[in-house]
Amino acid sequence: QVQLVESGGGVVQPGGSLRLSCVASGFTFSNYGMHWVRQAPGKGLEWVAFIRSDGSDKYYSDSVKGRFTISRDTSKNTLYVQMNSLRLEDTAVYYCAKDAWGGLDYWGQGILVTVSS
Amino acid sequence: DIVMTQTPLSSPVTLGQPASISCRSSQSLVHSDGNTYLSWLQQRPGQPPRLLIYKISDRFSGVPDRFSGSGAGTDFTLKISRVEAEDVGVYYCMQATQSPYSFGQGTKLEIK
């Protein structure tokens, strides 16, 4: 069965950096695009970033462009997001999700990132 | 950027009765490849989102057939034919036609 497991979350100060990982299993990772989506406490879903199956294209939301970098390592079946210059408003649960025809068909359980001084 | 607007934001429904959620996009969601990448997701309390519908009307594996999607261009609808207790949660539409991709604000479905 498809599994996505995020890690790397925690508490970081404003201006700090964090790298999240998402280990995928149960499907051929190299065949699918992948997304990061976040959800601030008590708020709705916010799309963050997408990377194509071969890593050739990467897209970002305006709110993270220039600060976050999405990447993938097919040899490790792992998706990453490097988050720099973190702000208070980046506090959220971050989900990785698998893409299927523009629908996000499988999601991880999410990992909490708290930006606080 | 494409803005997704859902109505209503809250929907109290009687068990066994139908429910409908509307989603409107600020631009057409027809992709240059001819597909329309509009999906619907459900998020139950304390859980990650779950895909219900993709490409306007394709039901994802395991999703009950009481869920259906329709629409075209900029106007889309999710319908639940007969609401069950397990359908309580927040429903989101999402567009993946044009980057940056975007979600609607969410519609909270609750039982009267």
Side-chain angles (χ1 to χ4, degrees):
Chain A
Q1 73 281 22
V2 173
Q3 275 200 309
L4 298 170
V5 181
E6 301 97 340
S7 62
V11 180
V12 61
Q13 292 188 335
S17 298
L18 215 52
R19 187 179 82 158
L20 304 183
S21 301
C22 169
V23 177
S25 60
F27 65 101
T28 304
F29 182 67
S30 59
N31 287 353
Y32 293 91
M34 297 291 295
H35 300 258
W36 285 101
V37 174
R38 68 185 181 184
Q39 188 167 35
K43 302 297 185 184
L45 300 174
E46 180 187 10
W47 176 80
V48 172
F50 169 77
I51 184 169
R52 289 206 186 278
S53 57
D54 60 1
S56 59
D57 288 308
K58 303 173 184 180
Y59 305 131
Y60 299 93
S61 68
D62 293 343
S63 61
V64 308
K65 194 178 296 183
R67 300 188 299 123
F68 288 16
T69 303
I70 190 172
S71 62
R72 61 194 298 160
D73 185 337
T74 300
S75 68
K76 296 181 179 178
N77 280 1
T78 302
L79 174 73
Y80 302 99
V81 62
Q82 176 66 43
M83 305 186 295
N84 298 332
S85 303
L86 283 162
R87 304 168 179 168
L88 296 176
E89 56 266 33
D90 294 319
T91 294
V93 172
Y94 285 73
Y95 296 99
C96 64
K98 172 180 167 289
D99 184 87
W101 289 102
L104 280 58
D105 60 352
Y106 290 96
W107 294 64
Q109 285 299 308
I111 191 81
L112 178 61
V113 171
T114 303
V115 184
S116 173
S117 54
Chain B
D1 296 359
I2 297 177
V3 177
M4 306 296 288
T5 304
Q6 289 182 227
T7 54
L9 297 184
S10 178
S11 180
V13 182
T14 302
L15 287 174
Q17 293 300 302
S20 180
I21 300 170
S22 174
C23 177
R24 179 166 291 179
S25 59
S26 60
Q27 301 174 35
S28 171
L29 296 186
V30 179
H31 193 274
S32 56
D33 66 7
N35 289 303
T36 299
Y37 297 110
L38 184 283
S39 60
W40 290 95
L41 303 102
Q42 174 198 61
Q43 188 174 32
R44 292 171 174 149
Q47 294 189 14
R50 166 199 179 201
L51 180 66
L52 299 175
I53 303 286
Y54 62 99
K55 288 200 297 176
I56 302 178
S57 58
D58 288 343
R59 201 177 301 115
F60 184 56
S61 174
V63 174
D65 60 7
R66 64 178 182 275
F67 290 93
S68 64
S70 63
T74 61
D75 287 285
F76 306 93
T77 303
L78 175 71
K79 290 183 179 176
I80 309 173
S81 58
R82 295 172 306 278
V83 171
E84 298 188 5
E86 66 178 18
D87 300 335
V88 165
V90 181
Y91 291 79
Y92 297 90
C93 60
M94 177 193 169
Q95 70 84 14
T97 290
Q98 180 185 113
S99 177
Y101 304 151
S102 47
F103 290 94
Q105 320 96 297
T107 295
K108 188 173 185 178
L109 185 76
E110 49 197 5
I111 306 301
K112 274 185 191 172

Coordinates of all heavy atoms in Angstrom, one line a residue, chain A residues 2-6 21-25 27-37 47-55 57-59 70-74 77-80 95-100 103-108, chain B residues 94 101:
Chain A
V2 N 0.3 2.3 -0.5 CA 1.1 3.6 -0.6 C 1.2 4.2 0.8 O 0.3 4.2 1.5 CB 0.3 4.6 -1.5 CG1 1.0 5.9 -1.5 CG2 0.2 4.1 -3.0
Q3 N 2.4 4.6 1.0 CA 2.7 5.3 2.3 C 3.6 6.5 2.1 O 4.6 6.4 1.3 CB 3.4 4.3 3.3 CG 2.5 3.5 4.1 CD 3.1 2.9 5.4 OE1 4.2 2.3 5.3 NE2 2.4 3.1 6.5
L4 N 3.3 7.5 2.7 CA 4.1 8.7 2.7 C 4.4 9.1 4.1 O 3.4 9.3 4.9 CB 3.4 9.9 1.9 CG 3.1 9.6 0.5 CD1 2.2 10.7 -0.1 CD2 4.4 9.5 -0.3
V5 N 5.6 9.3 4.5 CA 6.0 9.6 5.9 C 6.9 10.8 6.0 O 8.0 10.7 5.5 CB 6.7 8.4 6.6 CG1 7.0 8.7 8.1 CG2 5.8 7.1 6.5
E6 N 6.4 11.9 6.6 CA 7.1 13.1 6.7 C 8.0 13.1 8.0 O 7.6 12.5 9.0 CB 6.2 14.3 6.7 CG 5.3 14.5 5.5 CD 3.9 13.9 5.7 OE1 3.7 13.1 6.7 OE2 3.0 14.3 5.0
S21 N 11.5 16.0 5.1 CA 11.7 14.9 4.2 C 10.4 14.1 4.1 O 9.6 14.2 5.1 CB 12.8 13.9 4.7 OG 14.0 14.6 4.8
C22 N 10.1 13.4 3.1 CA 8.9 12.6 2.9 C 9.4 11.3 2.2 O 9.8 11.3 1.0 CB 7.9 13.3 2.1 SG 6.5 12.3 1.5
V23 N 9.4 10.2 3.0 CA 9.8 8.9 2.4 C 8.5 8.2 1.8 O 7.5 8.1 2.5 CB 10.5 8.0 3.4 CG1 10.8 6.7 2.8 CG2 11.7 8.7 4.0
A24 N 8.7 7.8 0.6 CA 7.5 7.2 -0.1 C 7.7 5.7 -0.3 O 8.9 5.2 -0.5 CB 7.4 7.8 -1.5
S25 N 6.7 4.9 -0.2 CA 6.7 3.5 -0.5 C 5.4 3.0 -1.0 O 4.4 3.7 -0.9 CB 7.1 2.8 0.8 OG 6.1 3.0 1.8
F27 N 4.7 2.5 -4.2 CA 4.4 2.9 -5.6 C 5.8 3.2 -6.2 O 6.8 3.4 -5.5 CB 3.5 4.0 -5.8 CG 3.9 5.3 -5.2 CD1 4.4 6.3 -6.0 CD2 3.9 5.6 -3.8 CE1 4.9 7.6 -5.5 CE2 4.3 6.8 -3.3 CZ 4.8 7.8 -4.1
T28 N 5.8 3.3 -7.6 CA 7.1 3.7 -8.3 C 7.3 5.2 -8.2 O 6.7 5.9 -9.0 CB 7.0 3.2 -9.7 OG1 6.8 1.8 -9.7 CG2 8.4 3.5 -10.4
F29 N 8.1 5.6 -7.2 CA 8.2 7.0 -6.9 C 8.6 7.8 -8.1 O 8.2 8.9 -8.3 CB 9.3 7.1 -5.8 CG 9.6 8.5 -5.3 CD1 8.6 9.2 -4.6 CD2 10.8 9.1 -5.5 CE1 8.8 10.5 -4.1 CE2 11.1 10.4 -5.0 CZ 10.1 11.1 -4.3
S30 N 9.5 7.3 -8.9 CA 10.1 8.0 -10.1 C 9.0 8.3 -11.1 O 9.3 9.1 -12.1 CB 11.2 7.3 -10.7 OG 10.8 6.0 -11.1
N31 N 7.8 7.7 -11.0 CA 6.8 7.9 -12.1 C 5.8 9.0 -11.8 O 5.0 9.3 -12.6 CB 6.0 6.6 -12.3 CG 6.8 5.6 -13.0 OD1 7.9 5.8 -13.5 ND2 6.3 4.4 -13.1
Y32 N 5.9 9.6 -10.6 CA 4.8 10.5 -10.2 C 5.4 11.9 -9.7 O 6.4 12.0 -9.0 CB 4.0 9.9 -9.0 CG 3.2 8.7 -9.5 CD1 3.8 7.4 -9.4 CD2 2.0 8.9 -10.1 CE1 3.1 6.3 -9.9 CE2 1.3 7.8 -10.5 CZ 1.8 6.5 -10.4 OH 1.1 5.5 -10.9
G33 N 4.6 12.9 -10.0 CA 4.9 14.2 -9.4 C 4.5 14.2 -8.0 O 3.7 13.4 -7.6
M34 N 5.1 15.1 -7.2 CA 4.8 15.2 -5.8 C 4.6 16.7 -5.4 O 5.2 17.6 -5.9 CB 6.0 14.6 -5.0 CG 6.3 13.2 -5.3 SD 5.0 12.1 -4.6 CE 5.2 12.3 -2.9
H35 N 3.8 16.8 -4.3 CA 3.4 18.1 -3.8 C 3.8 18.3 -2.3 O 3.8 17.3 -1.6 CB 1.9 18.4 -3.9 CG 1.3 18.3 -5.3 ND1 1.0 19.5 -6.0 CD2 1.0 17.3 -6.1 CE1 0.5 19.1 -7.1 NE2 0.5 17.8 -7.2
W36 N 4.0 19.5 -1.9 CA 3.9 19.9 -0.5 C 2.7 20.8 -0.3 O 2.5 21.7 -1.1 CB 5.2 20.6 -0.1 CG 6.4 19.7 0.1 CD1 7.4 19.5 -0.8 CD2 6.6 18.8 1.2 NE1 8.3 18.6 -0.3 CE2 7.9 18.2 1.0 CE3 6.0 18.5 2.4 CZ2 8.4 17.2 1.8 CZ3 6.6 17.6 3.3 CH2 7.8 17.0 3.0
V37 N 2.0 20.6 0.7 CA 0.8 21.4 1.0 C 0.9 21.6 2.5 O 1.3 20.8 3.3 CB -0.5 20.6 0.7 CG1 -1.7 21.4 1.2 CG2 -0.6 20.3 -0.8
W47 N -1.6 25.2 -0.9 CA -0.6 24.6 -1.8 C 0.7 25.3 -1.7 O 0.8 26.5 -1.7 CB -1.1 24.5 -3.2 CG -0.1 23.9 -4.1 CD1 0.1 22.6 -4.3 CD2 0.8 24.6 -5.0 NE1 1.1 22.4 -5.2 CE2 1.6 23.6 -5.6 CE3 1.1 25.9 -5.2 CZ2 2.6 24.0 -6.5 CZ3 2.1 26.3 -6.1 CH2 2.8 25.3 -6.8
V48 N 1.8 24.5 -1.6 CA 3.2 25.1 -1.4 C 4.1 24.9 -2.6 O 4.6 25.9 -3.1 CB 3.8 24.5 -0.1 CG1 5.3 25.0 0.0 CG2 3.1 24.8 1.2
A49 N 4.2 23.7 -3.0 CA 5.2 23.4 -4.1 C 4.9 22.1 -4.8 O 4.2 21.2 -4.2 CB 6.6 23.4 -3.6
F50 N 5.4 22.0 -6.0 CA 5.2 20.8 -6.8 C 6.5 20.5 -7.6 O 7.2 21.4 -8.0 CB 4.0 20.9 -7.8 CG 3.9 19.9 -8.8 CD1 3.4 18.6 -8.5 CD2 4.4 20.1 -10.2 CE1 3.3 17.6 -9.5 CE2 4.3 19.1 -11.1 CZ 3.8 17.8 -10.8
I51 N 6.8 19.2 -7.7 CA 8.0 18.8 -8.5 C 7.5 17.7 -9.5 O 6.8 16.7 -9.0 CB 9.2 18.4 -7.7 CG1 10.4 18.1 -8.5 CG2 8.8 17.2 -6.7 CD1 11.7 17.9 -7.7
R52 N 7.9 17.8 -10.7 CA 7.5 16.7 -11.7 C 8.2 15.4 -11.4 O 9.2 15.4 -10.6 CB 7.9 17.2 -13.1 CG 7.0 18.3 -13.6 CD 6.8 18.3 -15.1 NE 6.1 19.4 -15.6 CZ 4.7 19.5 -15.6 NH1 4.0 18.4 -15.1 NH2 4.1 20.5 -16.0
S53 N 7.8 14.4 -12.0 CA 8.3 13.0 -11.7 C 9.8 12.9 -11.9 O 10.5 12.3 -11.2 CB 7.6 12.0 -12.6 OG 7.7 12.3 -13.9
D54 N 10.3 13.6 -13.0 CA 11.7 13.6 -13.3 C 12.5 14.7 -12.7 O 13.7 14.9 -13.0 CB 11.9 13.5 -14.8 CG 11.4 14.7 -15.5 OD1 10.8 15.6 -14.9 OD2 11.5 14.7 -16.8
G55 N 11.8 15.6 -12.0 CA 12.5 16.7 -11.3 C 12.7 17.9 -12.3 O 13.3 18.9 -11.9
D57 N 10.7 20.1 -13.7 CA 9.9 21.3 -13.4 C 9.6 21.4 -11.9 O 9.2 20.4 -11.3 CB 8.6 21.4 -14.2 CG 8.9 21.7 -15.7 OD1 9.6 22.6 -16.0 OD2 8.4 20.9 -16.5
K58 N 9.7 22.6 -11.4 CA 9.3 22.9 -10.0 C 8.5 24.1 -9.9 O 8.8 25.1 -10.6 CB 10.6 23.0 -9.2 CG 11.5 21.8 -9.2 CD 12.8 22.1 -8.5 CE 13.8 21.0 -8.7 NZ 15.1 21.2 -8.0
Y59 N 7.4 24.1 -9.2 CA 6.5 25.2 -9.1 C 6.3 25.6 -7.6 O 6.3 24.7 -6.8 CB 5.2 24.9 -9.7 CG 5.2 24.5 -11.1 CD1 4.5 23.3 -11.6 CD2 5.9 25.2 -12.1 CE1 4.5 22.9 -12.9 CE2 5.9 24.8 -13.4 CZ 5.3 23.6 -13.8 OH 5.3 23.2 -15.1
I70 N 12.0 22.8 -3.4 CA 11.6 21.4 -3.4 C 12.5 20.5 -4.2 O 13.1 21.0 -5.2 CB 10.1 21.3 -4.0 CG1 9.5 19.9 -3.9 CG2 10.1 21.7 -5.5 CD1 8.1 19.8 -4.2
S71 N 12.8 19.3 -3.8 CA 13.7 18.4 -4.5 C 13.3 17.0 -4.3 O 12.4 16.7 -3.4 CB 15.1 18.7 -4.1 OG 15.3 18.4 -2.8
R72 N 13.9 16.1 -5.0 CA 13.6 14.7 -4.8 C 14.8 13.8 -5.1 O 15.7 14.2 -5.9 CB 12.4 14.2 -5.7 CG 12.7 14.3 -7.2 CD 11.4 14.2 -8.0 NE 10.8 12.9 -7.7 CZ 9.5 12.6 -8.0 NH1 8.7 13.6 -8.4 NH2 9.0 11.4 -7.7
D73 N 14.9 12.7 -4.4 CA 16.0 11.7 -4.6 C 15.4 10.4 -4.9 O 14.9 9.7 -4.0 CB 16.9 11.7 -3.3 CG 18.1 10.8 -3.5 OD1 18.1 9.9 -4.4 OD2 19.1 11.0 -2.8
T74 N 15.4 10.0 -6.2 CA 14.7 8.8 -6.6 C 15.4 7.6 -6.0 O 14.7 6.6 -5.6 CB 14.7 8.7 -8.1 OG1 14.0 9.8 -8.7 CG2 14.1 7.4 -8.6
N77 N 13.8 7.3 -2.7 CA 12.3 7.4 -2.7 C 11.9 8.5 -1.7 O 11.0 8.3 -1.0 CB 11.7 6.1 -2.3 CG 11.6 5.1 -3.4 OD1 12.0 5.4 -4.6 ND2 11.0 3.9 -3.2
T78 N 12.6 9.6 -1.8 CA 12.4 10.7 -0.8 C 12.2 12.0 -1.5 O 12.9 12.4 -2.4 CB 13.5 10.8 0.2 OG1 13.7 9.5 0.8 CG2 13.3 11.8 1.2
L79 N 11.2 12.7 -1.0 CA 10.9 14.1 -1.4 C 11.3 15.0 -0.3 O 11.3 14.7 0.9 CB 9.3 14.2 -1.6 CG 8.8 15.6 -1.9 CD1 9.1 16.0 -3.3 CD2 7.3 15.7 -1.6
Y80 N 11.9 16.2 -0.7 CA 12.3 17.1 0.3 C 11.7 18.5 0.0 O 11.3 18.8 -1.1 CB 13.9 17.3 0.2 CG 14.7 16.0 0.4 CD1 15.1 15.3 -0.7 CD2 14.9 15.5 1.6 CE1 15.9 14.2 -0.6 CE2 15.7 14.4 1.8 CZ 16.1 13.7 0.7 OH 16.9 12.5 0.9
Y95 N 2.2 18.7 4.7 CA 1.9 17.4 4.2 C 2.6 17.2 2.8 O 2.7 18.2 2.0 CB 0.4 17.3 3.8 CG -0.5 17.4 5.0 CD1 -1.2 18.6 5.3 CD2 -0.8 16.3 5.8 CE1 -2.1 18.6 6.3 CE2 -1.7 16.3 6.8 CZ -2.4 17.5 7.1 OH -3.3 17.6 8.1
C96 N 3.1 16.0 2.6 CA 3.5 15.7 1.2 C 2.4 14.9 0.7 O 1.6 14.2 1.4 CB 4.8 14.9 1.2 SG 4.8 13.3 2.0
A97 N 2.2 15.0 -0.6 CA 1.1 14.3 -1.3 C 1.6 13.9 -2.7 O 2.3 14.6 -3.4 CB -0.1 15.2 -1.4
K98 N 1.1 12.7 -3.1 CA 1.4 12.2 -4.5 C 0.4 12.8 -5.5 O -0.8 12.9 -5.2 CB 1.3 10.7 -4.4 CG 1.4 9.9 -5.7 CD 1.3 8.4 -5.5 CE 1.0 7.7 -6.8 NZ -0.3 7.9 -7.3
D99 N 0.9 13.1 -6.7 CA 0.0 13.6 -7.7 C -0.5 12.5 -8.6 O 0.2 11.6 -8.9 CB 0.8 14.6 -8.6 CG -0.1 15.3 -9.6 OD1 -0.7 16.3 -9.3 OD2 -0.2 14.8 -10.8
A100 N -1.8 12.7 -9.0 CA -2.4 11.7 -10.0 C -3.4 12.6 -10.8 O -4.5 12.9 -10.3 CB -3.1 10.6 -9.3
G103 N -4.9 15.5 -9.2 CA -5.5 15.3 -7.9 C -4.4 14.7 -7.0 O -3.6 14.0 -7.4
L104 N -4.5 15.1 -5.7 CA -3.5 14.6 -4.8 C -4.1 13.3 -4.1 O -4.9 13.4 -3.2 CB -3.2 15.7 -3.7 CG -2.2 16.8 -4.2 CD1 -2.7 17.5 -5.5 CD2 -2.0 17.7 -3.1
D105 N -3.7 12.2 -4.6 CA -4.4 11.0 -4.2 C -3.9 10.3 -3.0 O -4.7 9.6 -2.3 CB -4.4 9.9 -5.4 CG -3.0 9.5 -5.9 OD1 -2.0 10.1 -5.4 OD2 -3.0 8.6 -6.7
Y106 N -2.7 10.5 -2.6 CA -2.2 10.0 -1.3 C -1.5 11.0 -0.5 O -0.7 11.8 -1.1 CB -1.4 8.7 -1.5 CG -2.2 7.5 -2.0 CD1 -2.2 7.2 -3.3 CD2 -2.9 6.7 -1.1 CE1 -3.0 6.2 -3.8 CE2 -3.6 5.6 -1.5 CZ -3.7 5.4 -2.9 OH -4.4 4.3 -3.3
W107 N -1.7 11.1 0.8 CA -1.2 12.1 1.7 C -0.4 11.5 2.8 O -0.8 10.4 3.3 CB -2.3 13.0 2.2 CG -3.0 13.8 1.2 CD1 -3.8 13.3 0.2 CD2 -3.0 15.2 1.1 NE1 -4.3 14.4 -0.5 CE2 -3.9 15.6 0.0 CE3 -2.5 16.3 1.9 CZ2 -4.1 16.9 -0.3 CZ3 -2.7 17.6 1.5 CH2 -3.5 17.9 0.5
G108 N 0.6 12.1 3.3 CA 1.2 11.7 4.5 C 0.4 12.2 5.7 O -0.7 12.9 5.5
Chain B
M94 N -9.7 22.1 -5.6 CA -8.3 22.5 -5.9 C -8.1 22.5 -7.4 O -8.7 21.6 -8.1 CB -7.4 21.4 -5.2 CG -5.9 21.7 -5.6 SD -4.8 20.4 -5.2 CE -3.3 20.9 -6.0
Y101 N -0.7 26.4 -8.1 CA -2.0 25.7 -7.9 C -2.7 26.3 -6.6 O -2.0 27.0 -5.8 CB -1.7 24.2 -7.6 CG -0.9 23.6 -8.8 CD1 0.0 22.5 -8.6 CD2 -1.0 24.1 -10.1 CE1 0.7 21.9 -9.6 CE2 -0.3 23.5 -11.2 CZ 0.5 22.4 -10.9 OH 1.2 21.9 -11.9

